[in-house]
Amino acid sequence: MRFHSFLIKYGEIGIKGKNRYMFEDALVRQIRYALRGVDGQFLVHKCHGRVYVDCEGEYDYEDTLESLKRVFGIVGICPVVRVKVAEIEQLRKDVVSYMEEMYPDRSLTFKVEARRANKRYPMNSMEINCELGEAVLDAFPEMKVDVHNPDVKLNVEIREEVYIYSEIIPGPGGMPVGTNGSAMLLLSGGIDSPVAGYMIAKRGVELEATYFHAPPYTSERAKEKVVDLARLVSAYAGPIKLHVVNFTDIQLYIYEKCPHEELTIIMRRYMMRIAEHFAKKDGCLGLITGESIGQVASQTMQSLAATNAVCTLPVYRPLIGFDKRDIVDISQEINTYETSIQPFEDCCTIFVAKHPVTKPSIERIEKSELNLSEKIDELVKTAIETAEVIRVEQNA
């Protein structure tokens, strides 16, 4: 048996009001994007409040399914067999054929749930349920009917064609990307920031990203690693515009002029300033970081307050209350973990103080930053003007 379609079930979109069509349209766009690199021809369309992926001719079933599992907004994927609308005798045969191929184990309970969207069909839903249930029992006497908690829920929808399906494969949930504005992700080569980007994208937010590169202290391979991470996240989030900022001169200047125990906080504040510049320029509505309270010295409550103080856009930290184990679990689930742990240093790890301040005073940090007044504005301007922009997308 080859499945001819996938019925796409969505969750939160269904409770939207008059603008529901906008969320459905965004979901259709994301499905089309996700299937671009898959072998086969696909027609993605809406019909009577449902979203379908019709597969024309030969296609890669496993690859199609994996791609659909990465589309935010989908809560269930139902592989569908389509047959022609026919008299009830033929429909009985089609359903028995489906059950025979799908369920070699006959010691199952089942329930038929028919839906007659095509009102020209001469029998109503209840009559179809009875006929098809009887056909299955006649063909497989070992099977039993259970209308409350069946092992198999056999769905039969009569439309322009008959759609038969019984399996619901879980999707990622969330909201379609592009329905909730855009935000700027501060992306490093670590485990946390790709997960943070994934989680915000899951709520329908489009992503841009900024990466701070520090040659020669960081290698070209470290940059490639971050591009690889952005590509893995883009499989869920759609295309990502990645800004690669040369941060070396700024770091060296801070290292020369500021107390070493404050290096990480002051560098972090300049990263936020630069990322916010790109965010505002491109109309992003916030910044995203992978910070979690207390994980490292720069992520204590006092350190986070000192970092936030330089931003006028909101800073979203979806991992703020997560344990490292929780974050690692998600990174493994979304396939970023193995790339994140590759041993290529990013700029944060190169200039770490031996004894970093854990409870910085904002007033003290601002006073230390006065030591930078001679050249810092010029260095920031140069870093912004020389930033490399890379468009990163899945299968590119």
Side-chain angles (χ1 to χ4, degrees):
M1 177 193 300
R2 187 168 56 76
F3 296 106
H4 313 108
S5 292
F6 295 90
L7 165 63
I8 304 301
K9 291 184 176 286
Y10 50 67
E12 289 180 64
I13 295 173
I15 62 173
K16 299 297 177 185
K18 292 179 181 177
N19 63 349
R20 173 169 150 180
Y21 73 94
M22 294 166 58
F23 292 88
E24 291 174 337
D25 289 346
L27 181 58
V28 167
R29 281 196 303 275
Q30 282 301 114
I31 292 171
R32 286 174 181 156
Y33 170 76
L35 294 175
R36 282 190 326 168
V38 179
D39 285 341
Q41 286 187 300
F42 305 96
L43 174 64
V44 186
H45 62 102
K46 298 191 299 181
C47 180
H48 303 298
R50 299 287 188 91
V51 174
Y52 293 95
V53 178
D54 293 339
C55 311
E56 309 298 329
E58 295 297 318
Y59 73 100
D60 187 324
Y61 173 80
E62 293 298 334
D63 207 4
T64 302
L65 196 56
E66 286 307 308
S67 296
L68 291 173
K69 284 180 183 177
R70 294 194 290 262
V71 178
F72 292 135
I74 295 177
V75 299
I77 305 158
C78 307
V80 172
V81 169
R82 300 198 321 258
V83 297
K84 290 181 180 177
V85 175
E87 298 291 329
I88 193 66
E89 278 309 312
Q90 182 58 45
L91 189 52
R92 285 170 65 113
K93 290 176 186 173
D94 291 333
V95 164
V96 167
S97 174
Y98 174 89
M99 291 293 284
E100 186 171 35
E101 195 164 340
M102 284 290 290
Y103 300 102
D105 176 8
R106 306 285 187 246
S107 59
L108 297 171
T109 59
F110 76 99
K111 172 188 179 181
V112 178
E113 198 154 287
R115 185 177 180 191
R116 187 185 60 148
N118 179 352
K119 300 303 180 188
R120 295 189 301 276
Y121 198 77
M123 302 176 75
N124 65 32
S125 298
M126 189 61 72
E127 291 167 335
I128 297 167
N129 282 342
C130 293
E131 283 284 348
L132 299 182
E134 182 183 69
V136 173
L137 288 172
D138 286 348
F140 313 114
E142 312 95 304
M143 286 192 167
K144 299 283 184 286
V145 173
D146 182 345
V147 295
H148 299 295
N149 190 28
D151 299 319
V152 178
K153 190 160 114 179
L154 177 63
N155 293 275
V156 180
E157 297 189 4
I158 299 178
R159 299 177 175 276
E160 292 72 23
E161 294 178 280
V162 179
Y163 289 67
I164 305 171
Y165 63 95
S166 58
E167 187 179 14
I168 302 177
I169 298 157
M175 299 291 284
V177 172
T179 55
N180 273 315
S182 62
M184 179 66 69
L185 171 66
L186 279 83
L187 183 62
S188 73
I191 295 170
D192 303 338
S193 56
V195 173
Y198 164 86
M199 291 185 68
I200 293 290
K202 188 173 181 178
R203 299 308 306 156
V205 177
E206 244 177 303
L207 297 184
E208 288 195 25
T210 302
Y211 164 61
F212 294 92
H213 193 38
Y217 302 97
T218 55
S219 66
E220 193 64 20
R221 190 62 194 87
K223 173 182 155 184
E224 288 170 18
K225 171 184 168 181
V226 171
V227 173
D228 290 342
L229 285 170
R231 187 168 289 113
L232 291 167
V233 174
S234 78
Y236 296 90
I240 295 174
K241 182 180 178 182
L242 175 64
H243 306 261
V244 179
V245 178
N246 188 326
F247 202 59
T248 310
D249 290 344
I250 294 173
Q251 285 189 295
L252 290 172
Y253 190 51
I254 294 170
Y255 189 81
E256 179 191 340
K257 296 288 186 180
C258 296
H260 283 197
E261 69 273 12
E262 296 173 1
L263 287 177
T264 304
I265 294 296
I266 294 174
M267 288 176 190
R268 190 79 181 155
R269 279 161 63 92
Y270 276 96
M271 289 177 179
M272 299 296 271
R273 288 176 171 112
I274 292 169
E276 186 173 73
H277 168 86
F278 291 125
K280 287 180 174 178
K281 185 172 169 235
D282 289 350
C284 295
L285 301 174
L287 303 175
I288 307 162
T289 76
E291 292 159 318
S292 165
I293 292 173
Q295 191 175 132
V296 292
S298 63
Q299 295 177 23
T300 63
M301 291 289 279
Q302 294 88 343
S303 296
L304 294 174
T307 305
N308 264 29
V310 302
C311 301
T312 56
L313 288 176
V315 181
Y316 299 108
R317 296 181 170 96
L319 310 183
I320 198 71
F322 280 41
D323 292 339
K324 193 68 176 185
R325 183 71 253 168
D326 302 328
I327 301 167
V328 166
D329 287 346
I330 298 172
S331 73
Q332 290 173 329
E333 187 184 314
I334 67 174
N335 201 31
T336 57
Y337 179 75
E338 292 301 328
T339 303
S340 291
I341 61 172
Q342 289 174 4
F344 303 108
E345 301 288 356
D346 64 28
C347 64
C348 295
T349 55
I350 302 296
F351 290 90
V352 171
K354 284 184 180 176
H355 303 289
V357 62
T358 57
K359 295 181 180 178
S361 148
I362 294 176
E363 293 76 17
R364 173 76 183 271
I365 296 293
E366 287 173 345
K367 186 176 178 184
S368 296
E369 287 180 349
L370 293 175
N371 298 337
L372 305 170
S373 57
E374 186 182 345
K375 285 168 56 179
I376 194 67
D377 290 346
E378 179 191 329
L379 292 174
V380 167
K381 183 170 180 283
T382 301
I384 288 169
E385 288 174 351
T386 59
E388 178 187 4
V389 177
I390 304 171
R391 181 181 166 85
V392 182
E393 56 184 307
Q394 173 192 18
N395 304 319

